[in-house]
Amino acid sequence: MDIARVFCETFNIAETDAQKFNSKFVHESLPKNSYFLRTGERCSKFSFIASGLVRVFAETEKKEVTQWIGNAGYFLTDVSSFLFQQPARWNICALSETTLWTLSYDDYIHFEKDLPEWNMLEKRFVAKCFAMMESRIFDFISLSAEERYAQYFKLFPHHFNQVPLQYIASVLGMSPETLSRIRAR
């Protein structure tokens, strides 16, 4: 996996600038059921998922809430914890054997000195995160449970064979029973 190519495609930057990332990202394996991050820790890494599946979730007094299920091709971090170095709200756990390309917080900070365009790239990354969040909020307030299911299935059909359905139901903001009824139709 060439992380430079990922940065070229994701952030629309020149290959020569993107090559500066290759030496800073290190290969990391995350065994199934192991944690990338636990609630209360400070997130010290920013990763790209090369293969595998991860779940981002929190535990409340009443239940576990799955915020996101990530797969190959997505970036992985607890944005608030990583950027502001505050305790993480989320647990991040591997649902399968997962391969990551990981950048440390210290190297992330040093990119500002090494790469003149870094502030623009960081802005694009945060904007992409915000746009995803905005889209998800819109879906929750404007789509029915059936429409959210159909949209998720269209985007992530492979999750339905690899991820426990209660996690998918949680991502969709519904009970496992509601998800089962929708799937039966």
Side-chain angles (χ1 to χ4, degrees), residues 7 10-14 17 21 111-112 115-128:
F7 273 83
T10 304
F11 300 109
N12 194 27
I13 62 172
D17 289 334
F21 290 101
F111 273 141
E112 193 169 276
L115 188 63
E117 297 85 6
W118 180 245
N119 286 334
M120 178 205 47
L121 297 177
E122 185 178 45
K123 184 177 178 180
R124 285 184 185 168
F125 170 72
V126 172
K128 281 182 180 270

